Amino acid sequence: MSHRKTNLLILIAVVLLAVLPLLFVNGEFGGADGAAEEMITEIHPAYEPWFAPLMEPPAETESMLFALQAAIGAGFIGFAFGWFKGRASKSKTT
């Protein structure tokens, strides 16, 4: 099997893994913070948080900031892998 065909099959599998759950899973996608808050109020209804958020951005802004954080982290990890791979290949040639 050629590399092109293998890459195409892998790409199709990745796309299917991303799309199929969105189409066939019926559920509410919520964050862990909301689930934790619900559980705490269920267990101890009189609980009051120690701190209050300084500001609470709209959901779209919060989502964008989360995606930006993930992109920066992925970029840092990719840079580190490339850096170490480059250093390893450079030391092999000299």
Side-chain angles (χ1 to χ4, degrees):
M1 188 179 290
S2 69
H3 289 293
R4 185 180 177 116
K5 196 172 189 180
T6 304
N7 289 341
L8 184 63
L9 288 174
I10 291 173
L11 180 66
I12 290 170
V14 168
V15 169
L16 287 176
L17 283 173
V19 171
L20 289 179
L22 294 174
L23 295 175
F24 294 113
V25 174
N26 295 327
E28 186 176 323
F29 297 100
D33 294 341
E37 185 178 345
E38 288 176 15
M39 185 61 72
I40 289 170
T41 55
E42 182 180 316
I43 294 171
H44 186 36
Y47 176 77
E48 290 188 32
W50 292 2
F51 300 101
L54 297 175
M55 76 168 191
E56 199 161 325
E60 297 86 12
T61 306
E62 189 175 0
S63 186
M64 184 266 312
L65 290 173
F66 182 76
L68 179 64
Q69 178 186 2
I72 290 170
F76 179 77
I77 290 171
F79 177 79
F81 274 114
W83 177 274
F84 290 120
K85 175 70 175 164
R87 283 182 56 192
S89 65
K90 184 178 178 183
S91 67
K92 286 181 184 178
T93 59
T94 57

